[in-house]
Structure formats: structure tokens, C-alpha cells
Amino acid sequence: MPKQGFQPFMESPLHHFKLDAEAQARRADGRIWCNELPHLGYAVLRGDTAEAGFAQLVQQVTGLALPLQAGAVSQGPQGVLMWTSPDEWLLVSHRQRLADWTAQLDGGFAAQQLFAQTVDSSGGLTLAWLGGTEHITVLRHLGVYDFESIPLGHMVSTVLGKATVQVIRLDGDGVFVLFRRSFADYVWRLLRRAAQPYGFAVCQLEARGDHPLFAQLAAPRPSLILA
Amino acid sequence: MSGYRIHRPGERINRQKPVSFQFDNVQYKAFSGDTLASALLANGVRLIGRSFKYGRPRGIVGFGAEEPNALIQLETGAHTVPDLKATQVELYQGLLAGSTTGYPSLDFDLKGLLGKFGRFMPPGFYYKTFMEPVKAWPVYEKYIRKAAGYGHAPVLPDPESYDHLHHHIDVLVVGGGAAGLWAATLAGRAGLKTLLVDEQAEMGGWLLTERRSRIDGLSGMDWVSQRLAELASLPNVSVLPRTTAFALHDLNLVQAVELLQDHLPLTERNAALPRQRLHKIRAHQVILASGAIERPLVFGYNDVPGVMTAAAGHSYLNRYGVAVGREVLVQTQNDAAYEAALDLAQCGVKVMLADARQGGAAAWRQQALKSAGVELLLGHGIAKVLGDKSVSGAQLVKLDGRNNQVVGSGPRLSVDTVLSSGGLTSTVHLFCHNGGRPVWNQQQLSFVCPDEGRDNIACVGAITGRWELSEALGQTHAAVAALLLGHGRGSSGNAPSVASEEVAAPRAIFRLPDGKPEGHGAKAFVDYQNDVAAADIHTAIRENYRSIEHVKRYTALGFGTDQGKLSNINGFAIAAEALGKPIAEVGTTTYRPSYTPVTFGALAGPHVGETFDVRRYTAMHASHDARKAEYEVVGQWLRPWYFPKPGEDLHAAVNRECLATRNSVGVMDASTLGKIDVKGPDAREFLNRIYSNAWSKLDPGKCRYGLMLDENGMVMDDGVTACLADDHFHMTTTTGGAARVYSWLERWHQTEWPELKVRFTTTTDHWATVAVVGPDSRQVLQKLCTDIDFDKDAFKFMDGRSGTVAGLPARVFRISFSGELAYEINVDANYGRYMWEEVMKAGAAFNITPYGTETMHVLRAEKGFIIVGQDTDGSMSPNDLAMSWAVGMKKPFSFLGKRSLLRSHTAGDGRKQLVGLLPLDPKVVLAEGAQILSNTDDTVPAAMQGHVTSSYHSAFLGRSIAMAVLKDGSKREGDTVFVWAHGKSVPAQVVSSVFVDKEGVRQHA
């Protein structure tokens, strides 16, 4: 008979750095402040904007307008929706909400016979928040993109060192760096190294109720979104 | 006598801050603000090194990046830095330095004895002399290499750090002299994002030395201070001193290295800051204001310590308060060197000035010199310098007014120092790095940058041949103002006001004649660092080297750490004379990055140590660590290689892991395999085209192994793809091939078959995969999962199911890379380690054994399963691998590689094909990569029959096995071949590559 009473636990890609243990309340002291936003839900959204009903369905389900401009990010209290290519977006939200959304979206796509889909990527991605006066300089130490030029509400896909990342600017208070799980150790070490001249500190995660990303941090239950 | 301190108003040293330092184990004192060169000169040290080829005594010649001789070794141990120019090393308390040449000592050098026979060491001496016998070359080389070179590279790891910084700016100004400062001021005032870099510790360029000029009524350095204050007040302007722009690439990418901490004592360096920073600057507009460098004249024994450029003597005096001698002869062919003579004379130095021009400088300059007590010798040149390890005098000759000929003898002067000026050479390097060519300016006797610059590169100041400050600033203002106007930035106001002065034309003379045929008089050096004399260039031309590029390579002119900054124009001019051509026609050699040497540390930046390369980790890594895994790197992933128990080596661990897996159950982290979600109504059709086998009839819940071929029909990747729904597939790829396959799918879809409605999403990182392998694996799965029926007929080999494993949603595939009953459990990677530990708990009753890649390799080789990239090399077709069962030639639409499989060569005989090999001695494990011969007595060169691709000891079979590719292997089963490695042949029998369970009973159990 199978063993009952399983107690699944999650470990985020940066779990092994034990960031919680060294996290401090953030202050404006010239240092670079950073932490991982663990266990968010991520889904790749694919669709054809020329197909009637696609954008409407996405907005109806998520409350987020489908961004059509390259690099644009839609944000709301329940998450963000980022343009990543002409027929591809990344949806980030609380894990459970994301599971609900993707189920509704896929159901809606099927019902309307749209050539559209969601692919759960929650296990494969993570986000780090990077703040402090020189946070853009830290990125300039590592990547060739003109990070200062990223408008608020936009993201870019680029390379830091030898890893592909997305850099997301929401409200001007720091940036979010999105990267793949298997590259997480490398990216974190790279950010930490680049921040060294300014001082590097791990900040406590703020439970900001209406923030498009921080608000999604509430402890999630084991994901049930897998088909 | 040699150098000594002298007080100069405006000197750049801080006498309130004395520092002590060591050179060649002798303690000296100097001041903060000194360079190592100025400090040594102030302490009377002249002999700094021995020359490269002849071992001749050498001293300091220049005062900056142009220095050819004073290459020193800085610090010791891990901090040691070789071949720095003493002229660029900022002095700090406790600095340790030493010479890089001289054996057994700097004072007595063995190579110096050899140098006495310099006449018998022409260019190409080593090529010409050590040709025979060929076998003796290693012996020659040993001693030649010992004699060559300068400093030694550190052997300990560098304790300091380095970083990179990228800039995207409107305007980059290279050079912080008068022209550069003004250009930056104008760009900054116009609101442009501007960066100004200069290699020196202080901005000001030549104004740091030259003190007479007044700009806008201010002294030169007051004007510099005013500029710097204004630039500091502009938020859009950054100024970086100690920053050398060393390379200019296409699209205005400029690389510059900033020395952040080199000027600090080792104990005062901030460990949190990098020692050096590499700036990668992308500027819409580059303004080159890199100025000019004074070159010396070429005359007999012009390398004796105590001979230096006039600009150097002038700079040591005014910047560092060091008089380089007490009795100084200044030799010139232009007006500028008169300034040095005047300032020295006014400081009480006895100065004589020999001018190659009959008429000398502008009258006012001559008068000023005479008033200061300087003896003028017009129409004279130095025939040779007297002295050995230090200048003791100079023999002059009278020169013809028009031809560069000797017309009479001159005085023999007793002096302790000779300063020479052959005119200025524009620093055109950056302009030329990506293809720009300088132009010869006969009036200014220099290759210069054209006034018009190039697209988005402006050239201002002395780089264009404007030697006079008034002209340089005027041209800078006009060029930058026009540029700003072109960008709609309005008027730039007036140029700084500088009084213009009358200047006499320089004389076109580079090599001062001594009245003897070239090669018969005293050696006259053109390139100090490479010991290239004027006679060597003539020899090269006589030996019919016609291109200046060839002359450079034959003589070594312009090579080395100074890159010919002092020697190039003199060399070109001497070559032109020997060739009987104008200098413009001879042209220049090619200027390539770097302008000055750059440390490997700066180039590497943060890409060292733990951030040298990406290390990819799976979600279960901590579990592997806890079980003491040894790792190997596979496609950047760190994969468990084997899990040794105490006392086990690789072989013992792998034998144990193999047997446990074949006899009960093993477990492996398979998360690294590439995974791609393929979805859409045309997904099947796409798979039909991209894989060689057929996918039309694969039902949901079924998996299939597929071979991916390139256009040539050769295997490029393989993997199992599961059908999740009619329009939805879970594709797997090899670990190292994931990114390539993903790009491959996108490329074919986007470029050739965009009409197919299918999309691909990489899910490699999303899924963590635990492979449970072995006869007991079913029981392990049954302990973890109740909603999947694991009955052998309900969940067959190559089936896939979705279910709940250990409380989590999971995709479970019954697939096998070992030939055993096996399941792969895929879960959201955040739960990966949880799942691994649950499997370990559930398997404990079966003594579940974790295994790594080495055991995986043995298990799959026992079954004859290939590893793409190990058993294939890009020239193996499915037929070569005996895998024609995985090719669907009857598919309605073609597939990638199909046509190529039909080509005569691909389908013909004589191809290497995959076989198994059993060494006749079962204890012998063949060497992977070993060549296969047909006969034991084959001798070199032998006909290669193929090679061993995989070879292991199989604990399960109790013997060695191997896979190999063998010419016509499919027809050679039963043959005996000979595997050659390490000097001997080992006989082996050709067999089927499936060694275990040919019928597949185990995996279907």
C-alpha cells in the first residue's frame, strides 16, 4: 500500500543560499540590496494577436491587458504579463492564482478554437529583486545592454555574464531579474560579485499588498496545475 | 653625475608626503606624486636594464607609455606584475621593484659580452645561424629562450579582483590634454552624455609639463583646473583619470582599462574594489584627442643611459622637480625642444643646444636661450654619444644645410645627459585600429589623423598635427562646434584664447649622419626595446624586404610593449631613404589593439573563479552533496558522476551501482535532459519532418524514441518524445543538445514551415526528473503513487501517464536507458529534491542505490544504446548505427536528412558502422578513441579501420565490453581486429553491440 501523509516541500532555485537567514530590513545606505522572490507561478503564454478573442480572453481571465509593444509589461495587483516575442508572453503571479488562470485560459482557448496555449514554467524560473542607488550600475558591470534606457513598465531579454536573463523595470524602485533555475546559482554569484564595490546585502521581502510581484509571495500550496 | 631634485613651481609631487621604496633591493626615498622613473632619476639611478639582443646597458628614455627600456618587475609573489614601464608606475610607500634583465646581474650581463660582437648579429641572426642540424634546435631553443624576454609572469593565483563596466553614451573623449578638456567641455555644455578618459593620474596632458602658455589669460594648469571644475559640475559628464583607451572597434566600441588601485600600497588596497576595471564604451561620437609623442633622433650610441627625449627631460623637471643632469646637451631639429633647454637652464643646469637646422629656431627662442646662458650650436648633429653605462660626452659633426650629410667635424662636448627631439608623432593608434589610415604631413613630419576624421569619429588637437596650442585649441573648437551644430545643439561660443607664436619649420631629418656608411659607425638605435639599429633596416632592404610590414617582421621594428611609439616614424623614414621612396609611399605598419599592454585580469574581469563559467545545478543537488557524489560537468551541468562509499574508487563504486541497478533498483537524477513542450494541431506533422521516424500513429499515453538528423542525414540528437494529447508532445533531448535542438526546431518552423500550427516551449528547467531503474522499480513507484496502475500490461514499456506521485502532480514515463524496467518521474522542479528524497525513502526497503553518469554509461553500453556525440561524430547516419528501424522512408512528407540518406556515398559501402567489441582478454578495457587496425603487424602509416567510441568493464557480465565504429562493421561480426593504443595492439572480436538482454525481456518485464 502506498505511504500516506506525504508532506511535499518546495525549494526555490536559490534555496541553498539560505537568503532568509541573512536578510535585513532594507535601508538607503548605498549598498546593493537583493533577494529572491521564491515560488512564484510562471507560465509561458503563446497566441496569435490576429485571432479574434485571444487578447480579450487573456484580459478577461487575468485582468491584465495583453502588451503588444516589444518589451512592454502589463502590471496589476494580481501579477504581471510581459511581452517576450510577437506571439509569446510570460505571465507571473501567485502560484495558485496562476494555476487557476492557466486552466481557464486553456479552457477558453479550446472552447474558442484559438491557436493559443499556456505552458507552466513555475519550476524553471525565478526572480530576484535588485535595488539600491547603484543597482543599474551593477547590471552595467555584467551586461552589454543599455539598462538605463529601459523605460518603466518594460523588460528586456539580455545576457548577464554568460546567462540569459530578463530585466524588468516596474516602478523605478529597483529592477527584477528573471532567470532560469539551473542558471540561478551562477546568476546570483555574478550579481553578488558585481555588487561588491558598493556593498551587497540581502533584504527582507516586503509583503506589499498591491505590488504586482511582491504581493504574490504568500506561501503557496503545492501546485496543482500540471495536466 | 645624473639626476637630482630641484624645486619647481607647480610641480606635481607632494614634498610633504615622502615615500620610501626599493629597486633591486636598494632602499630609496622619493615623494608622493612621483613615478617610479622620476623617483629613480631623482636618486641618481640610470642603469635600469639590459637590451634584448645585445645586452647593452639601458636607462629611462621617455616619461610615459612610449618608454621602451625601463621595463620593471613590480612587487613579488602573488602580487608580482611583469614588464611595467617605470614611467607609468605611480610610486607608493613600500613599493618593491626590480629590473627584468641582466644575467647574472644588471651591472655585469653575459649577454652584454655577446653584444660586443653585435656587428655579427644582423637581422634574422637566429633564423640564419641555428638552421642546422635540425635535431639540435631544442638545445638551441632552450638557451635562446633563456636569453630572451624580460619579466616573469606570476605563478601564484592573483589575489586581486577585476571587473567590467559597460557605457552607452553620446560622446567619448579620449585624452585629457587641452584639446580633450575643451572638447569635453563643449559636449558637456551641450547636455550630451559625455565621458572623458585619460591614461595619466592627472588631467592636463602636455600642460602638466609646459608652463609658459596662457589660455584665456590663465596659466595652463589653472585653465585645466577651471575645466575640471566645470566638468565636475555637469551631471552629464564623467571624467576618468588613470584610464587608457586601448582599443577602438567597429561601431565605436572603445575599450579602456582603468587602474583603480595600482597606485596604492598593497596594504591600503580595498579588497571590495577591483584593482582594475575594463570599460566597454559604446559612444555615438568618439572624439580622439590623444595628442602626440615626441620621438628621439637616431644617432650613434643613442642608447647609452642618460640619453632621453627632450620631452622627458622637460617633464621630469617641471612635473617631478627632477633635473636629469647637470651638464645637458639638447639635440633637436625643431623649436619645441628649446623650451626644455630654457627651463633647464633657468634652473641652473648647464645646457648646450645643437640644432640640425642651419638657421635654428624662431629668433625669439634663440634669444631667450642665449639670455639664459645656453650655448647654441646651429647646423650640428651628434655623431656619437660617449660613455658606457652613463653618458660622459658627445661627439658632434657639422651638417650640410640641405642634404643630410656631414660637412665637417664638430666639437666633442663633455656632458652627462643628452636630450634629443626628432619632432612629434601623432598618437593615431585608436583611429587606425579598425581600418582607418593616417596621412603623412610633410610640414609637420608625422603621420597624422585627417581633419575630417571618420564617420562618428572626430580628431582634435595634436593628433591632427596641430603642435601649437593656439592651433590645437582653435581646430578643436571648430571641429566640436561643427559636430554639435550638426546634432542641433546650437552655438558653442568662442574658442579659448591663446596667443600664437612664431615657429620655424622643423628639418626633415631622422637619422643624424656620422659621415660613415651605414653599419660602419657607432650603432644608432631606432627601436630600443628590440635592439633594432638603423643599419638593420638598411640590411633588411638590401635583402629585398620591400614592404614596411615585412621590414617590421624581419627586424622586429615596432614590436613589444611600447609598440614602436618612439621608433616607428624613424624606422619608416630610414626605410624610405633606403628604398629611395617618399615616406608617404612607404606608409605605416598596421596599428592593432592594444595601445598599451592590458592585464589578463582586466580582460577576464568577473569571469574567473566561481563565475568563470555557468555551472548549472539540478533541483536535487543538495541531496547528491549529502550522499557525497563526485561530479562531472556535462554541457555546463554539474551531474553526479558516481556516489563512492568510504574506501571506494570510481571503478568500485560503478561496479556496485551497476549491479544494484541490474539486480534490484537504482536511482538517477535525469533532470538535465533537454525537455521541450511541443503543442499545436500540426505538432505531429512537425515531428514527422524533424525526426527520421514516423509519428502519425503514436497514441496519447505512448512514448517513442526518435533520431534527429541534420540536412546531411547524419544523427545530430536523439531522445524520447511522449504523446500527451493528440496535439501535445513532451520531447526530450540530450543534455548537451537541448539549446541546439530548441533553436533547430524554431529555425525550421520559422524559416521553412511557418504554415504549421505548432509551438515550442523549453521546459528543461521546469521539470525535475528522477529515473527509478531496475527490477524493483515498479514496487518503489507503487509505494509512492496510487492513481496510476503500474501493472505490466496496464502501463507498458514506452507508455506515459499523468498521476500523483508522493502527493504531487507528476508525469511518469516508462522508458529506459539501461534496458531495465524503469520509470522516469517528472515533477515541478521546486519539488525536485522532495521527490528524490521520497523515492529514496520508498526504495530503502530495496536498498535503492543512487548512481551517476558513469554507471549510466556502462548500463546503456551493455545494451548498445548510443550516446550522440560519443558514439557518433556528425558523420554517422542511422544506417551506420544499425538504427534503420528508426527511419521511416515511407512517410508521406519528406523529413530532414532523407534525401541525403539516399546519396551514393551515404548509402554505399566502406562506411564506418557501429559494432560491439569484445577484447579477447576479458580483463583488458580498451582505450576509448583507440584506432582499429586489421592486422597485428600493421606499421605506420597503417590503414585506419575505425576507432573505439565507448569502453567499460561490465560488472554484470564480468568482463570488458566496448562499442566502436568500424569500416563495413555490419558485415564483420566474428572478425578479429586489433585495437592500437599506447604502443601496442590488443586483439578484439567484432560482435553485436547489444551485450545484455538482446531480446529486451528485462525492459518489458
Side-chain angles (χ1 to χ4, degrees), chain B residues 721-747:
Chain B
T721 290
C723 181
L724 303 172
D726 206 35
D727 63 348
H728 192 190
F729 294 82
H730 176 112
M731 175 188 281
T732 66
T733 75
T734 59
T735 293
R740 186 166 50 124
V741 169
Y742 182 69
S743 299
W744 181 251
L745 305 186
E746 285 290 355
R747 176 179 140 195

mmCIF file of all heavy atoms in Angstrom, chain B residues 721-747:
data_model
loop_
_atom_site.group_PDB
_atom_site.id
_atom_site.type_symbol
_atom_site.label_atom_id
_atom_site.label_comp_id
_atom_site.label_asym_id
_atom_site.label_seq_id
_atom_site.Cartn_x
_atom_site.Cartn_y
_atom_site.Cartn_z
ATOM 1 N N THR B 721 10.213 11.026 -27.075
ATOM 2 C CA THR B 721 9.148 12.027 -27.054
ATOM 3 C C THR B 721 7.837 11.320 -26.703
ATOM 4 O O THR B 721 7.530 10.260 -27.247
ATOM 5 C CB THR B 721 9.059 12.738 -28.410
ATOM 6 O OG1 THR B 721 10.217 13.552 -28.543
ATOM 7 C CG2 THR B 721 7.818 13.605 -28.512
ATOM 8 N N ALA B 722 7.125 11.931 -25.748
ATOM 9 C CA ALA B 722 5.876 11.328 -25.282
ATOM 10 C C ALA B 722 4.695 12.089 -25.863
ATOM 11 O O ALA B 722 4.732 13.312 -25.954
ATOM 12 C CB ALA B 722 5.822 11.375 -23.760
ATOM 13 N N CYS B 723 3.673 11.338 -26.220
ATOM 14 C CA CYS B 723 2.450 11.977 -26.708
ATOM 15 C C CYS B 723 1.518 12.164 -25.512
ATOM 16 O O CYS B 723 1.064 11.188 -24.907
ATOM 17 C CB CYS B 723 1.804 11.091 -27.772
ATOM 18 S SG CYS B 723 0.306 11.821 -28.439
ATOM 19 N N LEU B 724 1.263 13.427 -25.150
ATOM 20 C CA LEU B 724 0.402 13.729 -24.004
ATOM 21 C C LEU B 724 -1.051 13.844 -24.438
ATOM 22 O O LEU B 724 -1.962 13.472 -23.710
ATOM 23 C CB LEU B 724 0.838 15.036 -23.348
ATOM 24 C CG LEU B 724 2.286 15.104 -22.876
ATOM 25 C CD1 LEU B 724 2.631 16.517 -22.427
ATOM 26 C CD2 LEU B 724 2.535 14.118 -21.744
ATOM 27 N N ALA B 725 -1.246 14.395 -25.609
ATOM 28 C CA ALA B 725 -2.577 14.517 -26.199
ATOM 29 C C ALA B 725 -2.359 14.540 -27.702
ATOM 30 O O ALA B 725 -1.215 14.602 -28.167
ATOM 31 C CB ALA B 725 -3.252 15.806 -25.727
ATOM 32 N N ASP B 726 -3.428 14.486 -28.421
ATOM 33 C CA ASP B 726 -3.277 14.384 -29.873
ATOM 34 C C ASP B 726 -2.424 15.515 -30.449
ATOM 35 O O ASP B 726 -1.731 15.339 -31.439
ATOM 36 C CB ASP B 726 -4.680 14.401 -30.509
ATOM 37 C CG ASP B 726 -4.651 13.693 -31.841
ATOM 38 O OD1 ASP B 726 -3.890 12.706 -31.966
ATOM 39 O OD2 ASP B 726 -5.351 14.155 -32.764
ATOM 40 N N ASP B 727 -2.496 16.664 -29.796
ATOM 41 C CA ASP B 727 -1.761 17.822 -30.327
ATOM 42 C C ASP B 727 -0.664 18.275 -29.373
ATOM 43 O O ASP B 727 -0.236 19.419 -29.417
ATOM 44 C CB ASP B 727 -2.727 18.988 -30.570
ATOM 45 C CG ASP B 727 -3.382 19.476 -29.285
ATOM 46 O OD1 ASP B 727 -3.270 18.768 -28.244
ATOM 47 O OD2 ASP B 727 -4.000 20.555 -29.292
ATOM 48 N N HIS B 728 -0.240 17.418 -28.475
ATOM 49 C CA HIS B 728 0.652 17.874 -27.412
ATOM 50 C C HIS B 728 1.701 16.802 -27.108
ATOM 51 O O HIS B 728 1.357 15.664 -26.818
ATOM 52 C CB HIS B 728 -0.190 18.181 -26.161
ATOM 53 C CG HIS B 728 0.553 18.922 -25.103
ATOM 54 N ND1 HIS B 728 0.056 19.126 -23.849
ATOM 55 C CD2 HIS B 728 1.776 19.510 -25.097
ATOM 56 C CE1 HIS B 728 0.926 19.803 -23.123
ATOM 57 N NE2 HIS B 728 1.983 20.043 -23.878
ATOM 58 N N PHE B 729 2.974 17.187 -27.191
ATOM 59 C CA PHE B 729 4.066 16.226 -27.002
ATOM 60 C C PHE B 729 5.091 16.779 -26.005
ATOM 61 O O PHE B 729 5.310 17.981 -25.924
ATOM 62 C CB PHE B 729 4.770 15.938 -28.339
ATOM 63 C CG PHE B 729 3.887 15.235 -29.325
ATOM 64 C CD1 PHE B 729 2.983 15.948 -30.101
ATOM 65 C CD2 PHE B 729 3.945 13.854 -29.456
ATOM 66 C CE1 PHE B 729 2.156 15.303 -31.003
ATOM 67 C CE2 PHE B 729 3.120 13.201 -30.364
ATOM 68 C CZ PHE B 729 2.218 13.933 -31.140
ATOM 69 N N HIS B 730 5.692 15.865 -25.291
ATOM 70 C CA HIS B 730 6.764 16.186 -24.341
ATOM 71 C C HIS B 730 8.040 15.589 -24.947
ATOM 72 O O HIS B 730 8.246 14.386 -24.942
ATOM 73 C CB HIS B 730 6.416 15.531 -22.993
ATOM 74 C CG HIS B 730 7.450 15.678 -21.910
ATOM 75 N ND1 HIS B 730 7.256 16.433 -20.795
ATOM 76 C CD2 HIS B 730 8.694 15.132 -21.754
ATOM 77 C CE1 HIS B 730 8.316 16.351 -19.991
ATOM 78 N NE2 HIS B 730 9.207 15.557 -20.562
ATOM 79 N N MET B 731 8.852 16.461 -25.546
ATOM 80 C CA MET B 731 10.057 15.992 -26.236
ATOM 81 C C MET B 731 11.247 16.029 -25.274
ATOM 82 O O MET B 731 11.368 16.973 -24.481
ATOM 83 C CB MET B 731 10.352 16.903 -27.440
ATOM 84 C CG MET B 731 11.658 16.583 -28.155
ATOM 85 S SD MET B 731 12.068 17.827 -29.430
ATOM 86 C CE MET B 731 10.998 17.298 -30.762
ATOM 87 N N THR B 732 12.110 15.037 -25.338
ATOM 88 C CA THR B 732 13.369 15.123 -24.590
ATOM 89 C C THR B 732 14.534 15.095 -25.572
ATOM 90 O O THR B 732 14.440 14.527 -26.657
ATOM 91 C CB THR B 732 13.539 13.979 -23.571
ATOM 92 O OG1 THR B 732 13.653 12.739 -24.268
ATOM 93 C CG2 THR B 732 12.383 13.921 -22.594
ATOM 94 N N THR B 733 15.607 15.748 -25.168
ATOM 95 C CA THR B 733 16.817 15.807 -25.988
ATOM 96 C C THR B 733 17.998 15.384 -25.124
ATOM 97 O O THR B 733 17.846 15.189 -23.923
ATOM 98 C CB THR B 733 17.084 17.241 -26.485
ATOM 99 O OG1 THR B 733 17.590 18.021 -25.384
ATOM 100 C CG2 THR B 733 15.822 17.906 -27.028
ATOM 101 N N THR B 734 19.160 15.288 -25.741
ATOM 102 C CA THR B 734 20.359 15.025 -24.949
ATOM 103 C C THR B 734 20.632 16.232 -24.049
ATOM 104 O O THR B 734 20.172 17.341 -24.329
ATOM 105 C CB THR B 734 21.574 14.796 -25.854
ATOM 106 O OG1 THR B 734 21.757 15.959 -26.660
ATOM 107 C CG2 THR B 734 21.388 13.593 -26.750
ATOM 108 N N THR B 735 21.410 16.003 -22.981
ATOM 109 C CA THR B 735 21.710 17.087 -22.042
ATOM 110 C C THR B 735 22.436 18.234 -22.737
ATOM 111 O O THR B 735 22.075 19.393 -22.596
ATOM 112 C CB THR B 735 22.574 16.542 -20.885
ATOM 113 O OG1 THR B 735 21.783 15.642 -20.139
ATOM 114 C CG2 THR B 735 23.076 17.656 -19.985
ATOM 115 N N GLY B 736 23.452 17.887 -23.498
ATOM 116 C CA GLY B 736 24.248 18.938 -24.141
ATOM 117 C C GLY B 736 23.580 19.515 -25.367
ATOM 118 O O GLY B 736 23.958 20.588 -25.838
ATOM 119 N N GLY B 737 22.564 18.825 -25.911
ATOM 120 C CA GLY B 737 21.983 19.255 -27.189
ATOM 121 C C GLY B 737 20.724 20.077 -27.045
ATOM 122 O O GLY B 737 20.147 20.514 -28.041
ATOM 123 N N ALA B 738 20.288 20.330 -25.793
ATOM 124 C CA ALA B 738 18.965 20.933 -25.588
ATOM 125 C C ALA B 738 18.795 22.263 -26.308
ATOM 126 O O ALA B 738 17.834 22.464 -27.056
ATOM 127 C CB ALA B 738 18.716 21.104 -24.094
ATOM 128 N N ALA B 739 19.751 23.165 -26.083
ATOM 129 C CA ALA B 739 19.613 24.507 -26.657
ATOM 130 C C ALA B 739 19.681 24.437 -28.186
ATOM 131 O O ALA B 739 18.937 25.118 -28.894
ATOM 132 C CB ALA B 739 20.700 25.421 -26.117
ATOM 133 N N ARG B 740 20.575 23.569 -28.674
ATOM 134 C CA ARG B 740 20.744 23.467 -30.127
ATOM 135 C C ARG B 740 19.468 22.914 -30.762
ATOM 136 O O ARG B 740 19.017 23.391 -31.803
ATOM 137 C CB ARG B 740 21.941 22.554 -30.429
ATOM 138 C CG ARG B 740 22.294 22.480 -31.884
ATOM 139 C CD ARG B 740 23.661 21.861 -32.078
ATOM 140 N NE ARG B 740 23.777 20.611 -31.329
ATOM 141 C CZ ARG B 740 24.092 19.439 -31.873
ATOM 142 N NH1 ARG B 740 24.331 19.355 -33.151
ATOM 143 N NH2 ARG B 740 24.196 18.353 -31.134
ATOM 144 N N VAL B 741 18.881 21.908 -30.128
ATOM 145 C CA VAL B 741 17.670 21.314 -30.692
ATOM 146 C C VAL B 741 16.528 22.328 -30.669
ATOM 147 O O VAL B 741 15.783 22.460 -31.644
ATOM 148 C CB VAL B 741 17.293 20.032 -29.918
ATOM 149 C CG1 VAL B 741 15.896 19.557 -30.305
ATOM 150 C CG2 VAL B 741 18.331 18.947 -30.186
ATOM 151 N N TYR B 742 16.420 23.071 -29.569
ATOM 152 C CA TYR B 742 15.350 24.067 -29.483
ATOM 153 C C TYR B 742 15.500 25.091 -30.622
ATOM 154 O O TYR B 742 14.527 25.423 -31.307
ATOM 155 C CB TYR B 742 15.401 24.753 -28.115
ATOM 156 C CG TYR B 742 14.309 25.764 -27.915
ATOM 157 C CD1 TYR B 742 12.984 25.373 -27.795
ATOM 158 C CD2 TYR B 742 14.606 27.125 -27.857
ATOM 159 C CE1 TYR B 742 11.980 26.310 -27.622
ATOM 160 C CE2 TYR B 742 13.606 28.069 -27.687
ATOM 161 C CZ TYR B 742 12.302 27.657 -27.561
ATOM 162 O OH TYR B 742 11.309 28.583 -27.409
ATOM 163 N N SER B 743 16.715 25.558 -30.852
ATOM 164 C CA SER B 743 16.950 26.504 -31.943
ATOM 165 C C SER B 743 16.657 25.866 -33.294
ATOM 166 O O SER B 743 16.135 26.501 -34.205
ATOM 167 C CB SER B 743 18.423 26.960 -31.959
ATOM 168 O OG SER B 743 18.732 27.594 -30.770
ATOM 169 N N TRP B 744 17.001 24.599 -33.394
ATOM 170 C CA TRP B 744 16.789 23.843 -34.642
ATOM 171 C C TRP B 744 15.291 23.772 -34.970
ATOM 172 O O TRP B 744 14.874 24.031 -36.096
ATOM 173 C CB TRP B 744 17.391 22.448 -34.428
ATOM 174 C CG TRP B 744 17.334 21.468 -35.544
ATOM 175 C CD1 TRP B 744 16.548 20.355 -35.605
ATOM 176 C CD2 TRP B 744 18.135 21.447 -36.738
ATOM 177 N NE1 TRP B 744 16.810 19.649 -36.746
ATOM 178 C CE2 TRP B 744 17.770 20.292 -37.465
ATOM 179 C CE3 TRP B 744 19.118 22.283 -37.253
ATOM 180 C CZ2 TRP B 744 18.352 19.977 -38.693
ATOM 181 C CZ3 TRP B 744 19.697 21.956 -38.470
ATOM 182 C CH2 TRP B 744 19.317 20.814 -39.174
ATOM 183 N N LEU B 745 14.495 23.476 -33.958
ATOM 184 C CA LEU B 745 13.048 23.404 -34.166
ATOM 185 C C LEU B 745 12.516 24.766 -34.600
ATOM 186 O O LEU B 745 11.734 24.879 -35.560
ATOM 187 C CB LEU B 745 12.331 22.967 -32.890
ATOM 188 C CG LEU B 745 12.761 21.659 -32.216
ATOM 189 C CD1 LEU B 745 11.826 21.347 -31.052
ATOM 190 C CD2 LEU B 745 12.757 20.501 -33.199
ATOM 191 N N GLU B 746 12.932 25.805 -33.872
ATOM 192 C CA GLU B 746 12.441 27.147 -34.199
ATOM 193 C C GLU B 746 12.886 27.563 -35.592
ATOM 194 O O GLU B 746 12.138 28.179 -36.342
ATOM 195 C CB GLU B 746 12.954 28.163 -33.163
ATOM 196 C CG GLU B 746 12.243 28.096 -31.818
ATOM 197 C CD GLU B 746 10.800 28.595 -31.861
ATOM 198 O OE1 GLU B 746 10.363 29.091 -32.914
ATOM 199 O OE2 GLU B 746 10.104 28.454 -30.841
ATOM 200 N N ARG B 747 14.128 27.223 -35.919
ATOM 201 C CA ARG B 747 14.662 27.634 -37.224
ATOM 202 C C ARG B 747 13.848 27.014 -38.362
ATOM 203 O O ARG B 747 13.438 27.716 -39.287
ATOM 204 C CB ARG B 747 16.121 27.194 -37.316
ATOM 205 C CG ARG B 747 16.748 27.478 -38.655
ATOM 206 C CD ARG B 747 18.201 27.034 -38.646
ATOM 207 N NE ARG B 747 18.543 26.419 -39.919
ATOM 208 C CZ ARG B 747 19.628 25.684 -40.102
ATOM 209 N NH1 ARG B 747 20.458 25.451 -39.118
ATOM 210 N NH2 ARG B 747 19.878 25.158 -41.286
#
